[in-house]
Every structure is written in structure tokens, then in C-alpha cells.
Amino acid sequence: MKKVLLVFICIATLASCGQQQSAENKKLKSENDSLRLENAKYSSEMDEMLSILNEIEADFQAIRDAENYLTMQNQGGELSVSARNQIRQNMQLISETLKKNKEQIKQLEDKLSKSNVQSAALRKTIDRLTSEIDQKATTIMALQEDLAQKNVRIQELDEIVTNLNEELEGLVTVTAAQSETLNQQDKNLHTAYYCFGTSKELKDQKILSGGSLFAKSKVLQDDFNKDYFISIDIREVLEVPLFANKAKLKSNHPEGSYQFAKDEDGNLILNIVDYKTFWSLGRYLVIEVG
């Protein structure tokens, strides 16, 4: 009778393990498929934004060429009719190009805020181009003032400079608001939460439940206590002191993205080796200690 009961328990255990492994395989496949789609979307979004950046950079070279001509003419004496006409054309080019670039930068800001692309280099490039538009508009207005002091007043030039000034003021206001929004979005995208405690403590907070010989404990039920968690920036917090000599991750995080180490007192520290991979499956970290 005992042998029959033992065989029955073994069969039940193997069946349970097989079902569990099958479910985990399906979950991993689903996660891999999701990551591949996310990477494809990321590449497409990045290519589109880089294309816009390249176009803006090319336009800026045309602005620099026109600006050099204006500077040279401003250093001379009386302007000829052809020189005046060329100044009109160059100022018109600068005005239209700066307006176009301003709209493109706004388009980039919108795309970046709605996309999965999180690039510090791209953010710096957009800020640099925005600053350069500011500088160009200021330079052109200064050139117009110099021409005015020489009694060289071109009506079309005045209108273009006025428009540039108005557009610049609008751009500064819009950029400040967008930067604040993007900073908040950037903070939200890089925020995660962690907690650690004994099995009893975690169960008391409804963070951990169940757990027996044939069933794993469940983590993060619907009504778990979120106030028990500590909020962090995943880019800055790469190690978590646990103040215990035993610890086990209860939340799901890819192997190889973390490791445990001991401090000088023999207590464990969780070291996050690759934070992007570590937090790829979720933004809640639960550690059982003791």
C-alpha cells in the first residue's frame, strides 16, 4: 500500500512539474515575441527621428552660408541694388528655413514623447538644435540693427526679423513646456519599486501568498500594499543592501542580469548587473530574506 501511494505521489509531482514547465515555456515565448516586436518598433522610430535630424542639420548648413554672406555685406560700405536683392533672398531663406526647422523640432519632441526611444544623445541633439535656432534668430536681428545704423533699411527685412522674433518667443515658451513634460515622462519611464522582508512580513502586506510542497508562492496579488515598496530610478540604483545573510528573489527577473554579493558584515547585497534586462519583465522587485 505504501509503495502504491509513493508511486501515486511521484506521478502527481511529475505531472505538476510538466504542466508548470509547459506554462513557463509559453510565457517565455510570449515575452520573447513581445521583445522582438518592441525592438522592431524601436528601430523604426529611431530611423524616422534620425532622418528628420539629418534634414535639419542640412538646412542649418544652408543657413550658415546665407548668414556668412550677410555678415560680409554688413562689413562693407554702400549696398548695391544686387546686394540688397541678395540680402532679401538670404533673409527669406533663413526665415523660412528656421520656421521649417522649428516645426520639425516640435515634431521630433512629439515623436520622442510618444515613442519607446529613450536616448540621452538624441535628447541632447534636440536641445542643441533648439538652442541653435535661438542663436540664429538673435544673430539675424543683430545684423538688421547694424544695417539700420548705416541707414540701410529694407522693408522686407524688417518684416522677416519681426516674424523671427515672434516665432522665437513662441518657440521658447513651447520648448519649456515640452521639456517639463518630457522630464516627467523620462522619470516615469525609469521608475521602479522594490521591497524585502521575511515570508511572514511579505504575507502580512499581501505581497506574497500561498506556498506549499507542490505549489509555488504567488507574488503581488491585486490588493497588495504598494506603500510597502520603495520608489527608485533604475538608472541610479544598481545595488540593494538586504541586511540579511539569506535572500531569494520572489519576483521574476532574467538570470544573468543580477547577482548576490556579501558586505563586510556577511550580509547580502543584490547587485543589478544589467538594469535594462533586469527590469524588462516588470517594475516591482520582491525579495524574501531570512
Side-chain angles (χ1 to χ4, degrees), residues 129-251:
L129 293 175
T130 301
S131 176
E132 191 162 350
I133 288 180
D134 185 346
Q135 294 170 3
K136 293 301 178 190
T138 302
T139 300
I140 298 305
M141 286 186 282
L143 284 172
Q144 167 64 345
E145 288 301 319
D146 288 343
L147 290 170
Q149 290 176 7
K150 296 180 180 179
N151 295 321
V152 180
R153 177 66 72 179
I154 302 173
Q155 183 177 355
E156 293 91 336
L157 199 63
D158 289 341
E159 294 174 357
I160 292 171
V161 170
T162 299
N163 290 336
L164 274 175
N165 195 21
E166 291 174 354
E167 290 173 2
L168 176 60
E169 291 176 358
L171 177 64
V172 170
T173 302
V174 171
T175 301
Q178 288 176 337
S179 294
E180 183 178 352
T181 300
L182 287 171
N183 287 336
Q184 184 59 48
Q185 290 175 337
D186 180 69
K187 180 180 178 181
N188 293 339
L189 284 169
H190 293 93
T191 297
Y193 308 87
Y194 81 89
C195 75
F196 59 88
T198 64
S199 176
K200 183 180 182 307
E201 289 170 341
L202 296 177
K203 286 181 179 179
D204 288 343
Q205 302 299 326
K206 298 184 178 180
I207 295 169
L208 206 62
S209 64
S212 64
L213 179 61
F214 300 112
K216 285 187 175 181
S217 56
K218 296 181 179 179
V219 184
L220 303 178
Q221 298 303 294
D222 292 337
D223 56 348
F224 71 92
N225 182 11
K226 294 183 178 179
D227 293 334
Y228 194 71
F229 286 80
I230 299 171
S231 171
I232 59 170
D233 186 319
I234 63 175
R235 297 165 297 185
E236 297 175 0
V237 178
L238 300 179
E239 63 177 38
V240 179
L242 300 175
F243 308 103
N245 55 18
K246 292 182 180 180
K248 181 180 180 181
L249 296 193
K250 304 301 291 185
S251 49

Side-chain angles (χ1 to χ4, degrees), residues 42 45-46 49-50 53 108-109 111-112 115 117-129:
Y42 179 93
E45 290 171 344
M46 180 62 81
M49 284 188 274
L50 289 178
L53 282 176
L108 270 177
E109 296 274 12
K111 285 182 179 296
L112 189 59
S115 74
V117 176
Q118 296 300 316
S119 170
L122 185 58
R123 177 72 261 167
K124 287 181 180 179
T125 300
I126 292 175
D127 290 343
R128 175 179 60 79
L129 293 175

